[in-house]
Amino acid sequence: MAAVKELLRAESDGTLSFGDYTLASKTKKDNYEFEGDLYKVKTFSEITKLERNGMFVYESVPGSAVENFKVTDKEVAFSVSAPSDVQFTLELEPESEYEVFIDGASAGRMATNLSGKLSVSVELSADQSAEVKVVKC
């Protein structure tokens, strides 16, 4: 998985895919309607950012490609790829505890801050992907 060439797309399984870390300059797609919400993605080699209804959802440094992004009340799940190690931040419930799983293995429990932000680093080789699941405890 190198990139989502459409920048943002709905998948047949009800998930979203977004991001293209192969772009040299910042590119965006906004006003993308999905399940009654409006999404916006900004992406290129240095950063990928997803917003829903003008609110922060996901950000990675460097840029990444995310496939099958799904958010429920209890968890966030997706596959992420990047040209190298990646750090992503998710907007979750403030002051809550979550267990993070990378490729099925627990990376431990982490707490969100007052604003609900949770940051995770994932070690990746070039164009490798990792399955991520963040489950509310």
Side-chain angles (χ1 to χ4, degrees):
M1 167 178 56
V4 178
K5 293 300 179 189
E6 304 89 336
L7 301 186
L8 181 59
R9 71 171 180 251
E11 302 293 353
S12 60
D13 63 1
T15 63
L16 278 177
S17 294
F18 59 91
D20 185 346
Y21 60 84
T22 65
L23 297 171
S25 61
K26 194 180 297 184
T27 307
K28 70 178 180 176
K29 182 172 187 172
D30 57 3
N31 295 320
Y32 184 87
E33 191 170 341
F34 178 72
E35 296 185 345
D37 293 309
L38 289 178
Y39 287 83
K40 176 181 181 178
V41 67
K42 292 186 240 179
T43 187
F44 75 123
S45 61
E46 295 179 21
I47 191 168
T48 295
K49 185 173 184 176
L50 180 70
E51 296 177 359
R52 179 180 58 236
N53 300 326
M55 302 296 288
F56 177 87
V57 174
Y58 170 98
E59 181 177 279
S60 74
V61 177
S64 61
V66 175
E67 288 189 318
N68 305 107
F69 187 83
K70 178 126 181 110
V71 179
T72 67
D73 292 344
K74 301 281 184 202
E75 72 178 39
V76 178
F78 57 93
S79 179
V80 62
S81 66
S84 62
D85 296 350
V86 65
Q87 179 176 331
F88 63 84
T89 303
L90 298 170
E91 178 77 36
L92 301 168
E93 190 174 314
E95 298 183 301
S96 296
E97 189 173 50
Y98 292 84
E99 185 162 6
V100 178
F101 296 89
I102 309 293
D103 289 330
S106 177
R109 290 183 174 212
M110 300 176 190
T112 56
N113 61 19
L114 286 170
S115 64
K117 301 256 189 312
L118 181 82
S119 293
V120 178
S121 293
V122 178
E123 294 179 9
L124 295 174
S125 300
D127 296 323
Q128 178 187 9
S129 65
E131 298 296 319
V132 177
K133 187 181 286 188
V134 179
V135 180
K136 189 170 182 187
C137 296

